[in-house]
Amino acid sequence: MKRYKIIAICIIMLASTMFIGCGDKGIVLKAVEIAELPACTIYESGETPDLTGLKVIAVYSDGTQKALTEKEYTTDCQTYSIRLAP
């Protein structure tokens, strides 16, 4: 059986991330970074990923960073992506 490194693909998707306006100061989201990988990063085909321990950080154009809670982003392991919540 092939093994997949789902988290590595998520990181690649994050590297081509979106830009979002935020506030009146013209501060925009510059990047979304994975600060800490989950405990398990290799899965068997068809196995549901367990993202326990995943730490995601938003980096803004003014240099500030914000650790995101699980309620502030969603993951989709079918499309290997992480989306910020509205």
Side-chain angles (χ1 to χ4, degrees):
M1 251 187 221
K2 289 186 177 183
R3 292 185 168 215
Y4 295 99
K5 289 195 174 188
I6 294 175
I7 300 306
I9 295 172
C10 288
I11 292 170
I12 292 169
M13 293 298 294
L14 289 174
S16 61
T17 189
M18 70 229 79
F19 291 91
I20 301 173
C22 127
D24 294 330
K25 299 178 183 177
I27 299 170
V28 294
L29 180 66
K30 182 177 174 184
V32 176
E33 298 177 357
I34 295 179
E36 192 171 320
L37 293 174
C40 184
T41 58
I42 299 173
Y43 302 92
E44 296 291 331
S45 180
E47 187 178 357
T48 301
D50 176 7
L51 301 179
T52 302
L54 177 66
K55 300 215 185 297
V56 180
I57 295 176
V59 180
Y60 295 93
S61 59
D62 66 350
T64 58
Q65 296 183 356
K66 179 185 179 209
L68 301 175
T69 66
E70 290 180 25
K71 292 181 181 181
E72 294 177 300
Y73 67 90
T74 59
T75 57
D76 183 344
C77 293
Q78 297 297 319
T79 61
Y80 310 110
S81 62
I82 295 178
R83 289 183 172 77
L84 298 181

